[in-house]
Amino acid sequence: MRKFDAIVIGSGQGGVPLAKKLAKAGWQTAIVEKRWIGGTCINDGCTPTKSMIACGAAAHIIANSQQWGITVSDYKIDLEKILARKNEVVQSFRQGATKGMEKTQGLSIIYGEAVFSGQKTLSVKLKDGGQEEIAADHIFINTGTLPSIPPIPGLDTVNYLTNTSIMELTRLPTHLIVLGSGYVGLEFGQLFRRLGCQVTIIDKNKQLLQHEDEDVAVAVKKVMESSGVNIYGSANVQKVEQTGDVIRIQLTSNGETHAITGSHLLVAAGRTPQSKSLQPEKTGLLLDERGYIPANDKLETNVPGIYVLGDVKGGPAFTHISYNDHLVLYKNLIHMENVSIKDRPIPYCMFTDPQLGRVGLTEKEAKAAGYRVKVACLDMTRVARAIETGNTQGFMKAVIDTNTDKLLGVAILGPEGGEVMSTLQMAMLGGLTVTQLKEMIFAHPLYAESINNLFMTLDK
């Protein structure tokens, strides 16, 4: 058995920098990866999807070029080139992360699948054959999540797609049916609609994006439907079946019965943690009722010396949160600081077009928390930069604490919405008041300049 100071299980966006920093701090460190370096973000999530979404955006501009006075007589979608470009970007990111670890002294990369075999000991089924036993006083779990497959009658007999396999299609669907209207479903739905496919989104909830305010969800739905995506809300899927290349879904929506047929089915109904396969009970590690690994505000589990970071701990499943998790652990363990994940800001962005950038409390969350709030809203049709570029879908929304004149949260549904949101996030962290933002000088004519106008709406 090899003994290390630290073992990191999983090489996601938290695991990789943590392993490198621990090794550079003098800890003999091992990182175990069963598949590819980089985790979901580089291999199945952020990197490949945003690379393909960029291609969809180019197709959308060409298809609608007449509104900018440009006529394109003909164009075609080359899926093979889109996939090749995506794979090239992924490979570049993956290789960069791998080389960075290989050059780190004191860091051993073990390719294989790890399971707990005893108290803080692991048995690794090596990728190239054989078995290895390893142990450490400090173990960090960064194993992430997998697509969740709902128990729908007949679904297990259908050749359905997940967020991973849909990016390996060699021909475009004629009709893509999407189960789920979260970020994955909406981003892929709009992407494939822009690539020329018919798209139908089915969701069990009445409202898209359940965690957002209703006005934001309504605006997102309007964006999707204006692009030609069909949406069935409050849907109860009763049966799924496949005959040849045709997939048929029977459902009820708002009291009506529907039968939908399509060529492909994407299951985008949430995520499930990769935890039970670790055999956590062998080291005394507890899971919650959904299989996530709970941890305290310092990311330590119920077993002293075993920590968790990234999606597998539950909570917001974003790459940047996983990265921040590693900073919390590194500062506390190496620099003996007292950093906590409690009350940290949770910014995020949905990469539909227009983007939805979000940080802080929604209006309904703020009211539920007892704040006395005022709300500023500005339609993108009143934003100079949006009018000039011809991108006027969406709106800006800010939730303000009336007592302090400070921001509680913002939602920016608009072009580069994530970038504008980030500007306001920094204002929140800096304690700037709404009055200061309203009177601040921004370069003209940026999207950020509309922050002035957003808070001027309060004067009315």
Side-chain angles (χ1 to χ4, degrees), residues 234 296 298 331 393 459:
S234 302
N296 61 24
K298 306 294 176 57
K331 289 178 179 180
Q393 287 185 306
D459 297 337

Side-chain angles (χ1 to χ4, degrees), residues 216 219-220 223 352 354-357 380 393-396 411-415 417:
V216 174
V220 170
V223 166
T352 50
Q355 296 174 7
L356 172 62
M380 296 305 295
Q393 287 185 306
F395 74 112
M396 305 173 68
I412 310 296
L413 177 64

Side-chain angles (χ1 to χ4, degrees), residues 7-184:
I7 297 172
V8 180
I9 310 172
S11 65
Q13 296 304 292
V16 168
L18 178 64
K20 290 169 65 176
K21 287 180 180 178
L22 292 178
K24 289 177 181 178
W27 291 26
Q28 287 300 309
T29 305
I31 187 166
V32 184
E33 175 53 56
K34 69 177 181 180
R35 200 171 58 126
W36 297 310
I37 299 299
T40 296
C41 179
I42 286 179
N43 297 294
D44 311 302
C46 315
T47 300
T49 59
K50 280 46 181 180
S51 298
M52 292 185 71
I53 284 170
C55 299
H60 175 72
I61 291 172
I62 294 169
N64 295 275
S65 62
Q66 285 187 331
Q67 75 179 73
W68 290 284
I70 312 294
T71 299
V72 178
S73 57
D74 190 27
Y75 74 97
K76 68 173 186 176
I77 302 297
D78 189 334
L79 186 59
E80 184 178 334
K81 282 193 175 181
I82 291 173
L83 294 180
R85 178 183 177 277
K86 177 262 297 183
N87 291 335
E88 183 180 351
V89 175
V90 169
Q91 197 68 19
S92 172
F93 283 24
R94 185 192 299 161
Q95 288 176 353
T98 303
K99 288 178 181 178
M101 289 201 298
E102 289 174 343
K103 292 189 293 186
T104 302
Q105 291 187 352
L107 176 58
S108 300
I109 306 173
I110 302 174
Y111 289 100
E113 186 166 4
V115 297
F116 283 102
S117 55
Q119 190 69 25
K120 293 188 181 178
T121 62
L122 293 160
S123 179
V124 183
K125 184 179 179 181
L126 300 174
K127 204 170 185 179
D128 57 1
Q131 201 92 2
E132 183 173 7
E133 301 293 321
I134 56 177
D137 291 330
H138 296 85
I139 295 178
F140 305 87
I141 302 172
N142 182 221
T143 49
T145 58
L146 290 170
S148 180
I149 309 303
I152 297 174
L155 185 58
D156 58 346
T157 67
V158 170
N159 296 323
Y160 60 81
L161 301 165
T162 66
N163 68 293
T164 301
S165 58
I166 194 172
M167 291 188 290
E168 302 303 326
L169 290 177
T170 55
R171 64 182 179 89
L172 288 169
T174 55
H175 183 186
L176 175 65
I177 302 172
V178 181
L179 289 181
S181 67
Y183 282 23
V184 173

